[in-house]
Amino acid sequence: MGEQRTLLAVLAHPDDESFGIGGTLAKYAAEGVRVVLACATGGEAGEISDPSLGTKEQLAGIRERELRCACDVLGIGELHLLGYRDSGMAGSPDNDDRRSLVQTDPAEVAGKVVRLIRQVRPQVVVTFEEGGGYGHPDHMAIHRHTVAAFQAAGDPSQYPEHLAVGLEPHVPEKLYFTALPRRFFRGLAQRLSALGFDLGRLADFDWESMGVPDELCTAEIDVSAYVDIKLQAFQCHRSQLSPNGPFSLIPPEVRWDFMGTECFSLAGSRLGPGQKPETDLFAMRIG
Ligand SMILES: [Zn+2]
């Protein structure tokens, strides 16, 4: 019955796969899709929520174990670590480390992603939108490199050294960006206010600056049956779970409602525009 459906997600840090699009990855894996994850950095510039878990020097190893745990939970069958150093938040000293993702030659990183596309041969590639969700330099960098790789992978004149080792050019059918639409944040704020939840300083927050414009959410994936699995994958990333983080302050029932849908933006397709909104990243029908 047709060829094996394959999804390649190209993300920046251990935990990006769970917090952002864990429901979608779990859903497709459960439906028999081969789900492959590329994680660009070791996440070593992140926090450690609990000092008993280890030291800052041990963080890359801790986070790799956490990532493998999340892959098992979500059903991600293949994990590729691209091996760059976490560049940290914008303006932090980690930005200047020569091993960091943002300091690496763009052609080198894009070349690794091209090689992976030619090996894995996905129909669907997923990465961050250009703002990286919240402006993390690594998210924005891996967005640029994945867009470049999506465009180069089918061109035999690009990275011809791959062809010399037997990898053929490959053009994926579609490229999607993860997208948190503004209505998500607006809805969350309204829901919390209606519950009498004290939004505190967030009451004056400019919700219109969060996420992407609503119309950029061109694919809405119903992951309501996978919220449990997604939450279980979150639990793998213990070093990143702060008991006092913003997420933990949201009442569980509200959290649950807002985790049942994940949005994506169709960024490239050789099939032309999809139905709006699409409900399946593998829909291969035009209009
Ligand atoms: Zn991240």
Side-chain angles (χ1 to χ4, degrees):
M1 285 287 288
E3 60 181 329
Q4 165 74 59
R5 291 183 300 164
T6 301
L7 184 153
L8 171 66
V10 188
L11 302 173
H13 308 112
D15 79 11
D16 292 338
E17 79 300 326
S18 298
F19 293 127
I21 57 172
T24 301
L25 300 180
K27 171 188 147 76
Y28 282 116
E31 292 174 359
V33 171
R34 176 183 171 216
V35 178
V36 182
L37 172 66
C39 183
T41 80
E44 49 276 86
E47 305 282 320
I48 303 180
S49 62
D50 176 353
S52 73
L53 294 173
T55 64
K56 188 86 177 156
E57 288 66 43
Q58 296 168 322
L59 190 54
I62 293 169
R63 295 197 71 182
E64 184 181 332
R65 286 193 293 280
E66 292 175 344
L67 177 58
R68 292 190 187 281
C69 166
C71 286
D72 286 346
V73 169
L74 296 172
I76 296 169
E78 282 172 58
L79 170 64
H80 297 265
L81 302 172
L82 302 189
Y84 299 105
R85 193 177 189 283
D86 189 332
S87 314
M89 294 293 198
S92 70
D94 290 303
N95 296 174
D96 303 321
D97 193 302
R98 290 180 56 191
R99 299 161 295 170
S100 70
L101 180 62
V102 296
Q103 293 289 340
T104 306
D105 175 13
E108 187 208 299
V109 188
K112 282 197 183 181
V113 182
V114 168
R115 174 184 272 272
L116 208 47
I117 291 174
R118 288 171 174 173
Q119 272 173 2
V120 169
R121 312 187 80 73
Q123 291 92 349
V124 172
V125 177
V126 176
T127 190
F128 289 104
E129 47 92 12
E130 62 181 331
Y134 60 98
H136 194 295
D138 285 330
H139 293 192
M140 293 161 74
I142 203 65
H143 158 86
R144 292 191 300 274
H145 303 319
T146 305
V147 170
F150 180 81
Q151 287 159 352
D155 179 350
S157 72
Q158 302 270 347
Y159 303 95
E161 64 275 22
H162 299 166
L163 278 56
V165 294
L167 292 174
E168 295 293 322
H170 176 72
V171 183
E173 308 288 347
K174 303 201 227 175
L175 173 66
Y176 285 96
F177 298 155
T178 60
L180 264 175
R182 284 190 186 143
R183 60 181 154 77
F184 175 97
F185 294 99
R186 223 180 290 126
L188 186 59
Q190 283 166 1
R191 220 11 233 292
L192 291 174
S193 309
L195 285 170
F197 197 79
D198 181 14
L199 290 176
R201 286 184 306 150
L202 293 180
D204 305 322
F205 197 75
D206 177 16
W207 294 97
E208 295 305 313
S209 72
M210 296 294 286
V212 300
D214 293 343
E215 59 274 18
L216 289 184
C217 172
T218 64
E220 266 185 43
I221 309 302
D222 176 3
V223 299
S224 49
Y226 297 90
V227 172
D228 269 339
I229 293 180
K230 189 171 167 176
L231 288 169
Q232 218 180 308
F234 284 15
Q235 293 306 318
C236 289
H237 295 288
R238 277 184 59 206
S239 70
Q240 303 304 301
L241 289 177
S242 161
N244 303 312
F247 188 73
S248 64
L249 299 176
I250 301 172
E253 69 278 15
V254 177
R255 228 186 281 170
W256 193 274
D257 287 354
F258 284 91
M259 286 173 68
T261 306
E262 291 174 354
C263 277
F264 297 84
S265 189
L266 181 62
S269 168
R270 58 176 189 176
L271 303 167
Q275 281 178 310
K276 276 193 177 181
E278 290 182 294
T279 54
D280 178 10
L281 302 185
F282 283 88
M284 293 299 165
R285 197 158 65 82
I286 300 174

